[in-house]
Amino acid sequence: IVSRDGYILTNDHVVGGADRVTVRLTDGREFKGTVLRDPRTDLAIVKIDAKNLPAAEMADSDKVKVGQWVVAIGNPFGLTNTVTAGVVSGLSREFAVPDADNPLGGTYYPDAIQTDASINPGNSGGPLVDMNGKVIGINSAIWSRTGGNIGIGFAVPSNTAKYVMEQLITKGKVIRGYLGLLPEDLTPVLSQKLGAKEGALVESVDKGSPAEKGGI
C-alpha cells in the first residue's frame, strides 16, 4: 500500500491476467480492486475504495549502494508476510524473463536491483526495503535453473515505480518519449576510427522519427 487513500503497487504479472482482483487487508477487510497496468515495466496499480490506510514510504533508489542490507517481504508459496534479509548484490542489471505462452514475448527489465535476499514464487509485487523500512524496489523476478531461490533476485527500482505510478494515476497510462534512433557505445576502437573522443555512435535513424526531424 503506497497511499493512504487506497493505491497499491504490485507487478503486472501478478494482476494483469485477472478477471477480477480482491484485496484482503491484514485486519480481514476485503475490497474490490481496480487495476491500472504498465506491462512494459511489469508494474501495476490496484486501487481500492478505502481511506486512512497505513502506507509504505518510497525511498530514492538512486541512492542505493551495493552491499547495503535489505529486507524482502512477500508471500512465497502462499506463506503470507514472509520476511527475508540480504544485501544489494548489484545495480542496473539487465535481463529478460521469457513468456512460456508467447515464445516471441516476455518481460525485459533494463535497470533492476539485484539482491541475495531470498525471493521465491509468490514474492512478486512485494517490497524490497532498506534498514529504515523504506521501499527501494518491487520484488519482481529470480534467476534460477530450478525455479527456486539460489540467491539471485531482482527488484524494479522505487524511482521507476514512482514514475510509473504517478503516470498511471494521473493519465491512466504511461506516456514515454520516443527518439527513433539506434545508438551504440563509443568504444576505444570506434573512437580512434571515427576521430571522436566522446558521445555515442548512431547506427540508424527511423524514417519520419523525431530524431530524423531533429536533424540527427
Side-chain angles (χ1 to χ4, degrees), residues 70-91:
V70 290
V71 169
I73 305 171
N75 305 311
F77 307 108
L79 300 171
T80 306
N81 293 335
T82 292
V83 175
T84 54
V87 298
V88 172
S89 305
L91 298 170

Side-chain angles (χ1 to χ4, degrees), residues 1-8 47 50 52-56 165 169:
I1 301 173
V2 290
S3 74
R4 292 176 60 82
D5 58 346
Y7 283 101
I8 299 165
K47 178 66 171 69
N52 300 318
L53 297 174
M165 180 174 65
I169 291 173

Side-chain angles (χ1 to χ4, degrees), residues 51-66:
K51 304 294 182 184
N52 300 318
L53 297 174
E57 185 176 348
M58 305 287 279
D60 181 356
S61 56
D62 288 344
K63 296 181 179 179
V64 171
K65 298 183 183 301
V66 173

Side-chain angles (χ1 to χ4, degrees), residues 31-52:
F31 297 88
K32 178 182 177 181
T34 301
V35 177
L36 297 170
R37 302 174 55 195
D38 183 43
R40 188 166 180 174
T41 54
D42 192 23
L43 292 171
I45 294 290
V46 179
K47 178 66 171 69
I48 62 174
D49 186 13
K51 304 294 182 184
N52 300 318

Side-chain angles (χ1 to χ4, degrees), residues 11 13 72-74 115 119 123-128 137-141 154-156:
N11 283 129
H13 75 260
I73 305 171
T115 179
I119 293 177
N123 272 103
S124 292
L128 185 70
I138 308 301
N139 302 324
S140 300
F154 299 96
V156 176

Side-chain angles (χ1 to χ4, degrees), residues 177-181 205-216:
Y178 165 61
L179 277 177
L181 58 81
V205 177
D206 296 340
K207 287 185 179 298
S209 68
E212 184 184 62
K213 293 176 182 177
I216 297 177

